[in-house]
Amino acid sequence: STQSTWEIPFVRMALVIYPWTRYLFCGSNITLAQGSDIGGQVWPAGEALARYFERHAEQLNVRGRRCLELGSGLGLVGIVLAKLGATVTFTDLPALLPNLHRNACLNLENVVFVEDSEREFGPAEHQHCVRALEWGKTSLAGFGQFDLVVCADVVYFPELLAPLLATLTELIRGATVCYLAFAQERAAARKFLRQSRVLFHVEEESCPEFGAVTILRMTQRNEEVLRSSH
């Protein structure tokens, strides 16, 4: 079968369910079923981004926002945002969706699984959804508009930077804000930072408590906002 370039690093994904992991966020326990592949565990940047939103939820005005999570993996960041009052669309590769959906349902109410990645579906308030999104490939026409885009540890493979940036360029428009967390020591992350500064207005959030994890706040460049308003 033919596979798109960006799927190659994930060819050996397994759907085997591995031991549970538990976290305490927002005063409640979050239980996640892990997997054996790269998307089957919570990486440091994912936990750091979840903690960041927990600590700054009021300042960032999370409650009532429509949020899209790219590369959700186990879904920790999106689940925390949902517990903080956001309406969340969880996305990842099709092979990871069954476990992602399981985790979302374990920790949240009103979770919808959207099987058709091209289907137009706008979740109602406090209704969350899980659906496939392949960077640079899946049409975003049926996804609707989002206030927040979040992603953690998604700049691991250099070959995925171009499709990721293509998807982010479609999403980060107008007032939409993207928060992206990554481990600083990775070469691909440094390359992503250079390229993203060309496409977006990028600010690095000061989070010394998270050690080697960097959190970026990305918005549409001022000149692009002006152009799109005419």
Side-chain angles (χ1 to χ4, degrees), residues 12-49:
R12 299 188 180 277
M13 282 182 176
L15 292 180
V16 178
I17 301 301
Y18 280 76
W20 304 93
T21 183
R22 291 178 173 83
Y23 296 87
L24 179 63
F25 279 91
C26 312
S28 62
N29 290 309
I30 294 176
T31 302
L32 302 173
Q34 299 183 90
S36 64
D37 49 77
I38 195 169
Q41 58 185 299
V42 176
W43 295 88
E47 184 173 358
L49 188 57

Side-chain angles (χ1 to χ4, degrees), residues 184-201:
Q184 298 170 357
E185 69 271 12
R186 294 176 184 159
R190 294 192 293 271
K191 181 179 180 181
F192 174 84
L193 183 57
R194 292 194 301 271
Q195 294 179 343
S196 64
R197 289 189 185 280
V198 176
L199 298 171
F200 313 107
H201 176 68

Side-chain angles (χ1 to χ4, degrees), residues 1-128:
S1 61
T2 303
Q3 294 181 338
S4 60
T5 304
W6 87 281
E7 292 173 309
I8 291 174
F10 302 98
V11 167
R12 299 188 180 277
M13 282 182 176
L15 292 180
V16 178
I17 301 301
Y18 280 76
W20 304 93
T21 183
R22 291 178 173 83
Y23 296 87
L24 179 63
F25 279 91
C26 312
S28 62
N29 290 309
I30 294 176
T31 302
L32 302 173
Q34 299 183 90
S36 64
D37 49 77
I38 195 169
Q41 58 185 299
V42 176
W43 295 88
E47 184 173 358
L49 188 57
R51 293 290 177 198
Y52 175 81
F53 281 116
E54 180 186 40
R55 295 175 187 179
H56 303 285
E58 187 172 345
Q59 175 188 347
L60 299 174
N61 197 22
V62 169
R63 182 169 297 278
R65 298 291 185 174
R66 291 200 62 210
C67 174
L68 173 70
E69 183 177 18
L70 297 176
S72 295
L74 300 187
L76 177 63
V77 177
I79 290 169
V80 170
L81 282 166
K83 288 186 175 293
L84 291 168
T87 298
V88 180
T89 295
F90 300 83
T91 68
D92 215 314
L93 289 169
L96 292 177
L97 296 187
N99 196 41
L100 174 58
H101 182 234
R102 181 185 189 184
N103 284 332
C105 290
L106 277 170
N107 296 280
L108 303 171
E109 297 180 353
N110 300 320
V111 179
V112 178
F113 186 83
V114 182
E115 295 188 38
D116 183 358
S117 63
E118 303 297 327
R119 174 187 167 193
E120 185 172 343
F121 181 83
E125 188 176 1
H126 303 307
Q127 181 186 55
H128 315 291

Side-chain angles (χ1 to χ4, degrees), residues 165-184:
L165 285 166
T167 294
L168 288 174
T169 300
E170 286 191 67
L171 291 168
I172 303 175
R173 294 183 179 277
T176 301
V177 180
C178 174
Y179 289 90
L180 184 148
F182 61 87
Q184 298 170 357

